[in-house]
Amino acid sequence: MKVKVISRSTDEFTRERSQDLQRVFRNFDPSLRSQEKAVEYVRALNAAKLDKIFARPFIGAMDGHRDSIKCMAKNPNHLKAIFSGSDDGDIRLWDIASRRTVCQFPGHQGAVQGLTVSTDGGILVSCGSDCSVRLWNVSDANLADSDNLYDNSAKPQAVYVWKNAFRAVDHQWDGDLFATAGAQVDIWNHNRSQPVNTFDWGADTTISIRFNPGEPNILATSANDRSITLYDLRMSSPARKVIMRTKCNSIAWNPMEPMNFTAANEDCNCYSYDARKLEEAKCVHKDHVSAVMDIDFSPTGREFVTGSYDRTVRIFQYNGGHSREIYHTKRMQRVFCVKYSCDASYVISGSDDTNLRLWKAKASEQLGVVLPRERKKHEYLEAVKNRYKHLPEVKRIVRHRHLPRPVYKAANLRRTMIEAERRKEQRRKAHSAPGSIVTEPVRKRRIIKEVE
């Protein structure tokens, strides 16, 4: 006859010190825990509500510029460094941790339209409406000396004067070349005062330019003629071009999927494309109620942030049609530039009211040191919320966002107009000959044609 007994070693449940937690043994057999789902549902509901209570995304504003902030750039070598350029020609290096100016770069006589930093973090390239490109040595800009405000006033390492004003600049992810956008696309080298190559397709002004993070020789531009163009530096002419109904103000490549990019458009939407298949957008990201001015991807490639003329900042999933977060303050005006921090924890926005603003990428995230037990609790609550996110009550609480009154009214008006247009199209189709009217999907509707 066999007798089964419970056998436990004293080492497993005896406390070493009186301050230690008592070990509790639980049986997780679902047949013995009939209320498990009900308990977890309540926990998910409470976690969703607590996220709303602790949602304090705004950290602080960085004041110092005297005109609208039009462009920003991150330094890949310094996690807490951000460069900003304004309409009065002022360029500043900010310490995000202390939210103070570390160094100024005077010299531009007009608006600074573009900033970029080389991959090694040593060279800052700026361009503006004064028809000049300036190279600054920023490798010795020490953020540890941020107590000496305004003592550091840098001088340009090189100044290249050209015949046209510049609208944007971007540096290769791997190499010594950088590209400027304006009346044409010019490719420059650090050591040469003349462009090493020039591309031109159409007679309109190019307003944004971005190098591909995976293939150093590929770059994408958007122009005032409503086009998005792909260039290959190894070819003598542009590669592909797609023309939309409204122009795109900015472009951002996905750093984890370098074949995909997202364009911020004037029609309040963002469009994600596969560079190999430009005749159709992969995803349309809606929610803004005015022109989207700038866009930047998170280093993880899972999210991107947008700044809009409607005075809000929104965070989207890379494949989501609607925004996950909306950030706004009463004093913030039209947002012209946005950036994700290099660790994907923060978002920086620059607006028309001369301020840079620092936001948390996750509104309810706890700042400071998080103990291991706290981290495990946060991860557990996040998993529980994710498990029950499809249930109506949890879904409603997680999705709800407070909107400023002008944005709320404009969103309702825009929704009414879109619905009226849809009904009109349905009626026209119902009263026409079968097959004479073809309904285009939203992903194709805003594209006029593709040129190769």
Side-chain angles (χ1 to χ4, degrees):
M1 180 181 176
K2 290 184 179 180
V3 178
K4 291 184 178 180
V5 297
I6 297 175
S7 175
R8 291 176 181 159
S9 169
T10 54
D11 296 336
E12 291 181 2
F13 60 87
T14 304
R15 293 184 293 178
E16 294 182 4
R17 294 179 295 275
S18 59
Q19 291 83 8
D20 290 350
L21 295 175
Q22 188 73 44
R23 179 76 182 274
V24 179
F25 293 92
R26 291 190 177 91
N27 191 334
F28 292 103
D29 185 359
S31 62
L32 298 178
R33 300 182 67 226
S34 57
Q35 297 296 316
E36 179 189 14
K37 284 190 176 180
V39 169
E40 284 196 341
Y41 171 72
V42 172
R43 286 176 182 168
L45 205 58
N46 290 337
K49 292 176 181 176
L50 284 173
D51 273 359
K52 294 296 176 188
I53 293 172
F54 292 115
R56 298 289 185 272
F58 181 63
I59 297 174
M62 292 178 274
D63 189 13
H65 282 290
R66 290 170 295 176
D67 211 335
S68 304
I69 299 168
K70 285 295 176 65
C71 53
M72 291 192 295
K74 295 180 287 190
N75 191 332
N77 277 4
H78 293 283
L79 192 63
K80 59 177 185 173
I82 189 86
F83 296 93
S84 64
S86 67
D87 271 350
D88 61 351
D90 187 20
I91 302 173
R92 290 173 182 249
L93 169 62
W94 299 86
D95 180 7
I96 295 178
S98 62
R99 302 202 295 276
R100 292 190 294 181
T101 301
V102 176
C103 186
Q104 285 185 277
F105 304 88
H108 278 284
Q109 301 301 315
V112 180
Q113 299 283 5
L115 289 174
T116 185
V117 183
S118 60
T119 314
D120 59 1
I123 300 293
L124 169 70
V125 183
S126 65
C127 68
S129 56
D130 58 353
C131 307
S132 69
V133 176
R134 295 172 185 264
L135 272 61
W136 314 81
N137 184 9
V138 294
S139 57
D140 56 350
N142 189 6
L143 289 179
D145 298 334
S146 59
D147 294 333
N148 304 324
L149 296 184
Y150 307 114
D151 287 353
N152 299 328
S153 189
K155 294 182 179 179
Q157 181 177 328
V159 179
Y160 306 146
V161 180
W162 199 230
K163 53 192 174 185
N164 299 311
F166 297 102
R167 295 293 301 271
V169 64
D170 194 39
H171 200 283
Q172 263 186 327
W173 286 63
D174 184 18
D176 292 331
L177 300 179
F178 63 91
T180 56
Q184 57 199 12
V185 176
D186 296 315
I187 312 299
W188 305 73
N189 192 302
H190 289 181
N191 303 316
R192 296 187 61 179
S193 60
Q194 297 285 329
V196 296
N197 204 348
T198 297
F199 294 100
D200 192 7
W201 193 353
D204 230 323
T205 305
T206 307
I207 55 177
S208 72
I209 189 165
R210 289 288 178 95
F211 271 100
N212 189 296
E215 178 54 62
N217 294 310
I218 301 293
L219 58 93
T221 66
S222 66
N224 275 334
D225 61 355
R226 303 166 297 161
S227 66
I228 299 173
T229 312
L230 297 181
Y231 296 87
D232 191 337
L233 303 185
R234 296 163 294 191
M235 298 172 61
S236 59
S237 61
R240 302 177 73 187
K241 182 177 184 179
V242 60
I243 300 175
M244 302 186 67
R245 295 191 184 276
T246 47
K247 73 173 183 179
C248 294
N249 292 312
S250 184
I251 288 177
W253 292 92
N254 190 329
M256 293 292 109
E257 299 172 357
M259 75 290 292
N260 298 330
F261 66 88
T262 304
N265 203 279
E266 282 276 330
D267 67 353
C268 316
N269 298 332
C270 296
Y271 297 89
S272 291
Y273 289 94
D274 188 331
R276 302 162 297 184
K277 187 182 177 185
L278 291 176
E279 66 269 11
E280 180 182 355
K282 289 186 66 178
C283 186
V284 181
H285 312 276
K286 307 175 181 179
D287 270 350
H288 280 295
V289 296
S290 192
V292 188
M293 303 304 295
D294 196 18
I295 182 171
D296 188 49
F297 262 96
S298 162
T300 61
R302 301 291 94 183
E303 291 181 339
F304 62 86
V305 60
T306 59
S308 171
Y309 218 69
D310 63 9
R311 298 176 292 179
T312 62
V313 175
R314 290 183 184 263
I315 298 177
F316 291 84
Q317 300 286 344
Y318 79 105
N319 57 357
H322 293 278
S323 58
R324 172 178 69 80
E325 288 286 356
I326 174 170
Y327 295 156
H328 55 87
T329 67
K330 288 183 178 180
R331 297 185 62 184
M332 186 164 70
Q333 297 302 311
R334 299 166 298 188
V335 182
F336 288 125
C337 52
V338 287
K339 287 290 180 189
Y340 250 104
S341 65
C342 292
D343 60 351
S345 298
Y346 302 98
V347 168
I348 304 102
S349 66
S351 56
D352 206 9
D353 57 2
T354 74
N355 282 346
L356 270 76
R357 285 178 172 82
L358 186 63
W359 314 82
K360 289 190 284 188
K362 294 181 180 177
S364 57
E365 188 178 24
Q366 180 180 342
L367 293 178
V369 178
V370 181
L371 298 175
R373 283 178 61 195
E374 285 180 314
R375 186 179 294 107
K376 288 180 71 175
K377 178 71 180 296
H378 293 328
E379 290 171 356
Y380 169 71
L381 292 180
E382 198 65 35
V384 168
K385 271 196 306 179
N386 194 46
R387 182 177 182 182
Y388 293 95
K389 65 182 179 182
H390 61 283
L391 295 179
E393 193 67 16
V394 178
K395 188 177 182 180
R396 183 186 66 81
I397 295 171
V398 168
R399 287 187 59 185
H400 175 73
R401 292 291 181 275
H402 173 73
L403 294 175
R405 183 172 294 177
V407 175
Y408 180 75
K409 287 185 175 180
N412 284 342
L413 179 62
R414 182 171 167 76
R415 200 176 300 117
T416 304
M417 293 165 61
I418 292 173
E419 184 64 24
E421 189 178 347
R422 187 184 64 82
R423 284 199 307 269
K424 184 177 179 180
E425 187 178 359
Q426 285 180 344
R427 288 169 183 165
R428 186 185 289 120
K429 192 174 182 179
H431 292 83
S432 302
S436 61
I437 295 180
V438 180
T439 304
E440 277 190 312
V442 181
R443 298 191 301 273
K444 288 186 177 181
R445 194 173 298 166
R446 304 299 297 179
I447 299 172
I448 296 177
K449 64 177 179 177
E450 183 185 1
V451 186
E452 291 192 18

